[in-house]
Amino acid sequence: MAAFVQTISTLAGWLQFDRFHDSELHVSGATTSARLSIFSAPQLRQVFVQPNEHIRELYIYKTAIEYLPRGLRNMANLEILQVCAGKLSQFNLGSLSSSQRFSLVDLSSNRVASLVGIGNTVNIGMLELSGNELSVVDMAFFRQIENLTYLNLEANRIARIECSQPVSFASLAQLSMAENQLSSFQTPGMEFPVLVDLLLAGNNLTSIPRNLAKYPALQRLDLNRNKIVLADLASIRLARNMDSLWLGENRITSIICSSPVSHDRLKIILLNKNQLERLNFSGCNFPNMTTLAVRSNKFTVVPSNVFQLLPGVRINLEGHQFPCADLLSYSKELKDRKIIVNSVWGSAPCPTKGGFFIGSQEKACCVE
């Protein structure tokens, strides 16, 4: 097989095995294809690579591999490495060389439960570790990865993050720890000067993190599908660049600003599928808010003070049944699409039996 790979590579820039049945794969230094892919190799347990200057992209999917390929650090020009849906139990930086320049290392959907550091640094732009078995993550491990712009730790078993040494993530723009088991998100010893997206959906958080001053460039905070009951918007005061706050599918019964907060960058708040019966933005000055999504909560009447406090906002109230008399008092806002409610088009009947036209074809549905 090694001889075949070497020979056939002279004829193709991309060499791909849709199915591979051997338990070992040897790749010689004379293999000249720029891209080598193995997409299904359930018997493959080891990959051996001789020093190679030609291969730039290596894809290995659905194997029985427990370790990264032997000789990987000798692939001088390798830029993309994907070893996915296998049996890797650890990510050892010693498998990589400090002279390599990776745009992407993807080890998703393995069994990685530990991160093993080394004495020198490596260069990885995007690191994908989703769908593994990490439970505690020492963020100091990532000090050894230069130029890291994207880190995905989604769908592990992470219950705690810690930091044994101070670290500043000088290039990290997106961090996802969604779909884990975090009950708090405290980051002592860590700085995130350019982080734009922080994704914490699907955890066990009970409040909006209060340490947002560590994220001066933060624009989007995703807290969907957590266990938040009280949403204190004063927590975002120091996230001066935030424009989107996602709080959907929590258990929120109240929105408050425990102390007055003014935020001129915030544009979007998503609160769909919570337990809200009313809205209270007293003390919140968000002059540039454009979107407030509160679909499928527990409103029985249209919240009355939203437009006084948020004059430029559009509010989505779909998923509620409002009295027709209540909705009629907001006819102008409905026609201007400042309020969006359950509606039907044309001659279709409203399931609530009541309704009135808010345009030539659209009918707002309500309860008589």
Side-chain angles (χ1 to χ4, degrees), residues 26 30 74 116 163 184-185 246 258 264 316:
H26 294 259
N74 296 319
V116 181
C163 193
S184 67
F185 189 72
W246 297 2
S258 60
D264 59 5
N316 188 325

Side-chain angles (χ1 to χ4, degrees), residues 272-318:
N272 300 322
K273 296 185 179 180
N274 277 287
Q275 307 294 317
L276 289 164
E277 297 181 5
R278 59 185 181 276
L279 291 173
N280 180 12
F281 285 94
S282 299
C284 301
N285 179 24
F286 304 145
N288 295 309
M289 272 274 294
T290 60
T291 302
L292 176 61
V294 285
R295 291 185 290 108
S296 302
N297 276 270
K298 291 187 174 183
F299 298 107
T300 56
V301 296
V302 176
S304 59
N305 66 341
V306 172
F307 295 109
Q308 288 80 11
L309 294 172
L310 307 172
V313 78
R314 182 175 72 171
I315 181 169
N316 188 325
L317 286 161
E318 292 175 306

Side-chain angles (χ1 to χ4, degrees), residues 4-16 27-37 52-58 75 78:
F4 170 76
V5 170
Q6 177 178 327
T7 301
I8 201 68
S9 71
T10 62
L11 305 175
W14 182 359
L15 183 58
Q16 175 175 316
V27 181
S28 77
T31 301
T32 58
S33 295
R35 183 185 298 174
L36 176 61
S37 304
N52 187 292
E53 297 183 354
H54 303 286
I55 298 175
R56 295 183 178 275
E57 301 177 21
L58 179 60
M75 302 178 75
L78 190 63

